[in-house]
Amino acid sequence: MARFLSRKLGGSVACLTAALTLLIQAPAQADTQTWQNVQKAGVLRCGAAIAAPYVMRDPASGQYSGYFVDLCRDFAENVLKVKAEFVDTSWDNQVAGIQSGKWDMAMALNSTPERAKAVAFSVPATDYQISLLVNEKNPKFASAGTDLADYDKPGVTIAVISGTAADKAVSGAIKQAKLMRLPGSDETRMALMSKRADILADANDTNHLFAMANGWAKEVLPVPALAKQGVSFALSRATPAADLAQLDDYLTERRASGEIDKLVDKASAEILAGQKAQ
């Protein structure tokens, strides 16, 4: 009887060990499929929320451009050997689209602790902080400097793109001014131009371009800096380390070689040329 119980207990332990081994191994086996699945499908799907110069779309042709678009396309075609497909979305839906499998990568997302709980991030392709655009003739800011308190006043309206890092950072920092949340960069710029908003809070490189093209616009970099961080690609948290490392190596090399700087200049020139043609 003792031997029977011993054999029975030993068999149960062996079964339990085997089951635990399967549980441990199963996610690892599933995780090895990220780039393999993309290659089997023949297409890398990139979630595209519009914000120049990162991601842009020609309203007439529907064609995408911008330096994150160029990086996504180059990584797809020259590294994974597949086509790139750009899926139109909003900033509010970028993370949800990754989680639901609507796209494989989201472009130009800031790596924040909250987002890192839901998605995995590549190394930064570029750096970011929030700047403020104002009309330099706006009397509300006649004596304003770089202190955020100079702009956080009753009667001041700040336009932001809903769901972006700028939205989150400004929402946490502003105590007295009113926030105007709008769906995209075109809407926030129109709000500033039409004087429905006194300030446009957005990425510094986006705002810098707008200020260069519009002599009345003044860019302010708040001190201390708002949301200074890197801008990355975001992927599913199930992405295996080896696949994420492949993307990281690609971005690190492109950044070190100066290629990303060239792509930024290319996107900037496209924007300025389009504005001059209008």
Side-chain angles (χ1 to χ4, degrees):
M1 183 69 173
R3 288 198 196 115
F4 175 77
L5 286 173
S6 177
R7 285 197 301 271
K8 187 174 181 180
L9 182 59
S12 298
V13 170
C15 290
L16 179 60
T17 301
L20 288 172
T21 300
L22 288 173
L23 285 173
I24 293 170
Q25 290 178 345
Q29 292 171 349
D31 283 354
T32 61
Q33 300 302 310
T34 302
W35 296 146
Q36 288 181 26
N37 287 341
V38 166
Q39 289 169 330
K40 286 178 182 178
V43 61
L44 176 66
R45 301 166 301 163
C46 296
I50 306 302
Y54 307 104
V55 180
M56 302 178 286
R57 185 180 65 237
D58 187 317
S61 67
Q63 295 297 309
Y64 286 91
S65 61
Y67 66 92
F68 264 85
V69 170
D70 289 337
L71 288 169
C72 182
R73 184 181 289 117
D74 185 60
F75 182 73
E77 295 178 353
N78 295 314
V79 179
L80 299 181
K81 308 301 181 182
V82 298
K83 294 181 179 179
E85 176 183 296
F86 301 100
V87 186
D88 187 44
T89 186
S90 67
W91 291 103
D92 285 330
N93 293 325
Q94 280 278 44
V95 169
I98 294 172
Q99 293 176 316
S100 63
K102 290 183 178 179
W103 39 84
D104 306 300
M105 299 199 305
M107 297 187 289
L109 272 186
N110 298 79
S111 178
T112 64
E114 294 80 7
R115 284 174 175 165
K117 295 175 184 177
V119 295
F121 283 97
S122 70
V123 296
T126 186
D127 296 316
Y128 166 103
Q129 75 179 82
I130 294 165
S131 68
L132 309 178
L133 272 185
V134 300
N135 187 323
E136 64 179 1
K137 296 182 180 179
N138 190 330
K140 295 178 182 179
F141 311 124
S143 59
T146 58
D147 193 320
L148 187 62
D150 293 342
Y151 304 90
D152 182 16
K153 299 177 179 179
V156 171
T157 299
I158 304 175
V160 294
I161 302 174
S162 177
T164 59
D167 183 1
K168 181 174 179 59
V170 174
S171 296
I174 293 298
K175 307 301 180 186
Q176 301 184 75
K178 176 184 176 182
L179 290 184
M180 178 186 291
R181 293 184 174 88
L182 297 168
S185 56
D186 288 342
E187 290 84 357
T188 55
R189 290 175 181 181
M190 285 302 300
L192 181 66
M193 293 169 70
S194 65
K195 300 183 180 180
R196 292 189 297 118
D198 300 293
I199 299 171
L200 191 166
D202 204 346
N204 58 297
D205 48 5
T206 299
N207 277 349
H208 183 66
L209 278 170
F210 186 84
M212 286 175 61
N214 296 275
W216 54 266
K218 175 184 176 182
E219 183 186 18
V220 178
L221 292 172
V223 178
L226 278 175
K228 191 168 186 177
Q229 54 201 236
V231 188
S232 307
F233 286 97
L235 304 88
S236 167
R237 280 180 60 84
T239 302
D243 285 2
L244 190 58
Q246 187 175 18
L247 177 60
D248 286 347
D249 289 345
Y250 167 82
L251 292 172
T252 300
E253 190 279 328
R254 290 295 184 275
R255 193 165 186 179
S257 69
E259 183 63 26
I260 291 180
D261 289 336
K262 293 177 182 177
L263 294 177
V264 173
D265 291 342
K266 172 188 169 186
S268 301
E270 179 184 340
I271 294 167
L272 294 175
Q275 290 172 345
K276 290 178 181 177
Q278 293 176 356

